[in-house]
Amino acid sequence: MNKKFIQSFIILAMLFGMFVTTSAAFAASCGTSVTVVRGDTLRMIADRCGTTISALQRANPEIGNGNLIYPGQTLLLPGTILGTDGGYVIYIVARGDTLKSLAIRFQSTVDNILANNPSIPNVNLIYEGQRLNIYTVAPGTTPPPPPPS
């Protein structure tokens, strides 16, 4: 009885390990953006890239609250750095990001991120797909005023 249990456990563990590895590798293959192909839906893209429909909508404001996408359209994915706008990094929040982790990553502070993103009403709540303006504070400098809304 014990032998069958152990064999079953090992087989299940191996199958689970293959599933987890395959899913992570598949999601990572999406990179920072995905180009819509004929037949794609937001649900299909979200599943394929390890995100959610609402995160895709937040990351791509041109979609709005609807589901209308078209072949050839490029959708940005959470975790993307869009570049700079007047000295600010524009970053699309990824799953698991916190203001503290972003402040550390971009050598900024939580207070600076909050000051430059008045759309964040709660320091403990940011959303996957949300776009943030992040100013990097060099030692001994003062951050510029927030960018225009």
Side-chain angles (χ1 to χ4, degrees):
M1 187 78 145
N2 268 345
K3 186 176 180 180
K4 285 195 182 259
F5 175 77
I6 292 172
Q7 287 174 337
S8 297
F9 180 77
I10 290 172
I11 290 172
L12 285 174
M14 288 173 49
L15 288 173
F16 180 73
M18 288 180 353
F19 174 74
V20 170
T21 304
T22 303
S23 296
F26 196 62
S29 69
C30 289
T32 59
S33 65
V34 64
T35 302
V36 178
V37 296
R38 185 179 177 146
D40 269 347
T41 64
L42 284 179
R43 166 58 51 211
M44 291 169 64
I45 294 169
D47 289 346
R48 184 169 67 232
C49 296
T51 189
T52 64
I53 291 173
S54 59
L56 287 172
Q57 291 168 325
R58 280 190 291 275
N60 299 278
E62 69 277 11
I63 297 174
N65 291 331
N67 292 313
L68 185 59
I69 56 174
Y70 55 88
Q73 181 178 11
T74 299
L75 300 179
L76 298 171
L77 297 172
T80 300
I81 298 173
L82 297 179
T84 60
D85 180 16
Y88 290 83
V89 171
I90 301 170
Y91 175 74
I92 300 176
V93 175
R95 182 176 295 158
D97 282 340
T98 64
L99 290 180
K100 184 174 182 176
S101 70
L102 293 175
I104 292 167
R105 177 177 176 185
F106 291 103
Q107 298 177 340
S108 188
T109 66
V110 170
D111 287 340
N112 280 329
I113 295 173
L114 288 170
N116 292 298
N117 295 280
S119 63
I120 301 175
N122 181 340
V123 69
N124 297 311
L125 188 60
I126 57 175
Y127 297 96
E128 181 181 5
Q130 183 176 5
R131 291 181 181 210
L132 298 179
N133 295 309
I134 302 176
Y135 178 75
T136 301
V137 181
T141 64
T142 305
S149 301

